[in-house]
Amino acid sequence: MHPNPIDKTPSFSNLSLAEQLLSAVKKMGFEQPTPVQLQAIPLALEYKDLLVSAETGSGKTAAFLLPTLHHLLTLPSKKSGTRALVLTPTRELAQQIFKHCQQLTEFTELKTGLITGGDDFRLQQNMLRRNTEIVIATPGRVLELMEQEIPNFSNLEMLILDEADRMLDMGFSEDVLTIANSCNKQRQTLLFSATLTHFGVIKMADKLLADHDVVALNTLHDGHRNIEQQIVLADDNDHKLKLLTWLLQNETYDKALVFTNSRIQADALRGPLRGQKLRVGVLHGEMDQKDRNRMMDLFREGEVKIMLATDLAARGLDIKGINLVINFDVPRNGINYIHRIGRTGRVDELGLTIALVKHTEWNLMSGIERFLKQKFKQRSIKELAGKYKGPKKLKASGKAMGGKKKVETKKAVAEKVKVRHRDKKNIGKRRVPTSKPDIIETS
Ligand code: AMP
């Protein structure tokens, strides 16, 4: 039985972690474990495979690093090769985990290495040959190194998949499976994802985890209680630009992150904002690594207080002091929305997020609200009031349907799909007229 975390005052010393790790945690100023740490660490210390849903900013990195490091410290190994591998979707996130790991290993002899694209291949080869115990990596570069037969994961003890939902969304599914299949089968695997409602994540868990526990902590519907979420309606992109400029000039914030759905849009906003004497940087996936790093440093150090970014570039970004996130474009789905607003209001901070919504985006935004089971606060900016006030027939259309939305049952949807499938198979075949209802295929 695991001690019930509710029954005792949460503290790191109750988690039975190695002394060196407790000293590091203390030095980092962590006073007590966050909920995900409290729940995942004891299970991981029992060598259980885990599927954990934890939102960004919840302290999930330490939730997987601490038990991993504890295992490595308490069971020294004489075998060669990497002992723990953390796979993560982006270079920025890998760098952050690497730094976090270096802090946590400060009082140990354990060595941590970083493997990401864009950095020196040969240095990474050498690092792996030196049997660095913990490797933090993005999947692409690991595969390249595997082609040269350099990494040795045959004695791997821990495999951690961080932000697995995002790795899948970014198309890394096959890469992750290839890497995982090259790893020691007796390893322990921890799979972290912002959401468990991602079908691919569940499939991946089925493939890669042995009999496992699920820590469903921050499901999407828990909401982000330390983030105030607002909507401002806009007529068009020109109006949005005026609203954005006003917000950046009038809101109080340390750092602001502005999201667009495309690189082109991010680039297009830079000029006009600079024209208004706002110091802005741009971060997107097509910039080369050096420029991205430089931008991140400027933002981190507060030289640049406003960053225009696309989803890919900002994924996992953990920069202190981001307390304003503006969605210039409404994100394409609820998961992206979560990841964007997850950049603000981390652990103890408070944040404000504002979505600029034009009429073509209204349905998308309502879909996100429904998905999150939350209603965002609608705000108007007097100085820049626009014409668009939301859909006109909102109430009337509700009444027309008897006040209820038309909900397709699962069965009805499944039947439609099957009928469509059957129709496809029958293309070119003569259809025999029948008065009977369509027969639903069962296989
Ligand atoms: P993460 O979700 O791992 O990206 O962590 C978000 C931020 O919370 C990072 O800046 C961590 O250093 C910080 N953090 C993690 N665990 C704790 C804790 N127990 N107490 C205070 N801050 C923490």
Side-chain angles (χ1 to χ4, degrees), residues 12 28-34 37 55-62 100 318 320 346-348:
F12 279 104
M28 288 170 82
F30 295 180
E31 281 166 16
Q32 44 173 296
T34 64
Q37 292 163 359
E55 64 197 8
T56 43
S58 60
K60 65 186 170 63
T61 313
H100 209 124
D318 179 19
K320 289 221 160 56
R346 304 178 76 81
V347 184
D348 297 326

Side-chain angles (χ1 to χ4, degrees), residues 77-334:
S77 167
K78 290 208 170 66
K79 292 180 183 160
S80 60
T82 305
R83 297 185 66 194
L85 173 66
V86 180
L87 291 180
T88 190
T90 66
R91 297 164 190 183
E92 284 77 17
L93 191 52
Q95 282 164 352
Q96 274 163 208
I97 299 171
F98 175 71
K99 277 189 198 142
H100 209 124
C101 197
Q102 282 188 316
Q103 289 175 303
L104 288 173
T105 51
E106 187 182 339
F107 302 105
T108 75
E109 303 279 304
L110 295 171
K111 294 183 292 302
T112 310
L114 181 65
I115 293 189
T116 59
D119 288 334
D120 195 316
F121 198 85
R122 206 168 307 155
L123 285 179
Q124 295 177 355
Q125 281 178 323
N126 293 339
M127 180 268 288
L128 285 169
R129 288 202 180 102
R130 283 197 305 272
N131 289 335
T132 303
E133 286 97 341
I134 311 135
V135 171
I136 320 288
T138 49
R141 180 54 69 90
V142 176
L143 270 191
E144 281 176 52
L145 287 155
M146 276 171 66
E147 277 158 22
Q148 317 254 334
E149 293 180 20
I150 297 158
N152 172 6
F153 300 138
S154 59
N155 294 315
L156 196 87
E157 293 158 56
M158 301 283 296
L159 172 64
I160 294 116
L161 307 175
D162 184 35
E163 307 221 355
D165 51 337
R166 189 60 175 189
M167 283 203 277
L168 294 171
D169 291 343
M170 287 170 68
F172 287 137
S173 170
E174 285 305 312
D175 294 359
V176 170
L177 288 176
T178 309
I179 296 166
N181 289 334
S182 78
C183 297
N184 171 22
K185 299 261 175 300
Q186 265 73 50
R187 64 171 194 264
Q188 182 182 5
T189 309
L190 309 179
L191 194 156
F192 279 70
S193 166
T195 172
L196 298 184
T197 52
H198 192 299
F199 188 56
V201 168
I202 306 298
K203 272 193 357 199
M204 180 162 279
D206 281 348
K207 283 189 188 149
L208 298 183
L209 304 183
D211 187 21
H212 60 271
D213 279 17
V214 176
V215 179
L217 198 87
N218 296 307
T219 64
L220 292 172
H221 309 306
D222 284 354
H224 284 71
R225 289 186 199 92
N226 52 350
I227 302 176
E228 165 144 8
Q229 300 175 71
Q230 301 177 349
I231 288 178
V232 177
L233 297 179
D235 295 339
D236 49 31
N237 277 7
D238 287 344
H239 188 205
K240 279 192 181 193
L241 177 58
K242 288 185 189 136
L243 290 165
L244 175 66
T245 311
W246 188 94
L247 289 166
L248 292 172
Q249 286 171 338
N250 291 282
E251 282 295 328
T252 313
Y253 57 91
D254 295 322
K255 286 175 191 152
L257 199 50
V258 179
F259 281 98
T260 61
N261 285 355
S262 72
R263 172 183 64 76
I264 295 165
Q265 183 64 272
D267 280 335
L269 292 176
R270 179 173 37 189
L273 291 176
R274 284 191 178 163
Q276 295 296 321
K277 302 210 165 31
L278 290 163
R279 251 199 115 192
V280 295
V282 180
L283 203 59
H284 58 66
E286 280 172 43
M287 290 163 66
D288 76 49
Q289 192 56 33
K290 252 199 215 143
D291 289 342
R292 276 215 251 178
N293 287 346
R294 199 175 53 88
M295 264 305 155
M296 297 263 289
D297 286 345
L298 288 174
F299 195 40
R300 192 170 277 121
E301 287 152 16
E303 291 284 319
V304 165
K305 288 199 183 333
I306 304 163
M307 188 63 76
L308 298 162
T310 56
D311 294 289
L312 176 85
R315 175 70 185 190
L317 200 74
D318 179 19
I319 290 185
K320 289 221 160 56
I322 301 178
N323 34 24
L324 176 62
V325 169
I326 300 179
N327 284 306
F328 184 85
D329 294 320
V330 173
R332 295 188 180 100
N333 57 52

Side-chain angles (χ1 to χ4, degrees), residues 1 29 60 96 105 120 256 353 355 381-382 393 419:
M1 282 282 289
K60 65 186 170 63
Q96 274 163 208
T105 51
D120 195 316
T353 174
I381 291 162
K382 253 193 271 154
K393 290 183 186 156
V419 170

